Amino acid sequence: MFTIVFYIFSLFLSYTDFKKFLVPNNLIMTMSLMLLVFGFFESKIYISSIILAFVILLFFIIVMLLNRQLIIGGGDIKYMMLVGLYLGVSSFALFLIITGILQTFALLYMQKIEKRKVAPMVPLMFISVFIVELLVKFDIYTVKF
């Protein structure tokens, strides 16, 4: 159920972010609650995952305080916290690399070709999670902490 909850909510969040550039707080809150509940019942949530989610939040708070003109939405940050909770510490590093590459290409495309300043990031983060899980499943990425 832990994985199913993550994927179902991520699909909804990706759709709303892609269509409306909006990540609804009620979906984020419901998803986080269900991930915590099912994660504890299925023993897939570790204290390191919870700490990672708070470190992500702290990092973005500091970055946003230092650079007030940063173009990143609050929904993207909240979703990234849930990704950290879902993936855990060992896979999150690979997620950051993959999502960074995908988001860079998406932003370049949106700014240079579409002439828009913003791009939906939640769908790209969701694709990155899927790629990370495939790499872990097929033992291509096997780093364990």
Side-chain angles (χ1 to χ4, degrees):
M1 281 304 289
F2 181 69
T3 303
I4 293 170
V5 164
F6 180 82
Y7 275 89
I8 289 173
F9 276 92
S10 292
L11 283 171
F12 282 116
L13 290 170
S14 295
Y15 178 77
T16 58
D17 191 32
F18 184 76
K19 285 294 191 183
K20 301 177 184 177
F21 293 100
L22 178 70
V23 180
N25 285 334
N26 57 354
L27 281 178
I28 290 286
M29 293 301 293
T30 307
M31 180 180 180
S32 61
L33 181 66
M34 292 181 81
L35 281 178
L36 287 171
V37 168
F38 288 118
F40 282 123
F41 283 135
E42 296 177 16
S43 299
K44 292 187 177 182
I45 295 272
Y46 303 103
I47 193 70
S48 61
S49 299
I50 295 171
I51 292 171
L52 176 62
F54 284 112
V55 167
I56 294 166
L57 177 64
L58 182 63
F59 171 77
F60 279 108
I61 287 173
I62 292 169
V63 168
M64 290 172 75
L65 287 174
L66 294 175
N67 185 2
R68 300 220 183 249
Q69 296 173 357
L70 183 69
I71 302 176
I72 186 167
D76 302 332
I77 296 167
K78 291 179 273 190
Y79 184 72
M80 189 175 288
M81 290 173 57
L82 292 177
V83 168
L85 190 67
Y86 175 73
L87 285 179
V89 177
S90 61
S91 297
F92 191 74
L94 180 61
F95 162 80
L96 285 176
I97 294 168
I98 293 171
T99 200
I101 293 168
L102 290 178
Q103 289 177 353
T104 299
F105 286 125
L107 282 171
L108 287 172
Y109 172 77
M110 293 299 278
Q111 289 177 353
K112 301 298 181 193
I113 296 172
E114 296 285 327
K115 304 296 184 198
R116 297 180 74 174
K117 280 191 155 193
V118 294
M121 293 299 160
V122 171
L124 298 170
M125 286 190 268
F126 180 47
I127 291 168
S128 299
V129 170
F130 185 72
I131 292 170
V132 167
E133 288 198 317
L134 285 176
L135 293 174
V136 169
K137 181 174 178 66
F138 293 116
D139 287 328
I140 297 169
Y141 179 76
T142 58
V143 173
K144 301 288 181 196
F145 289 101

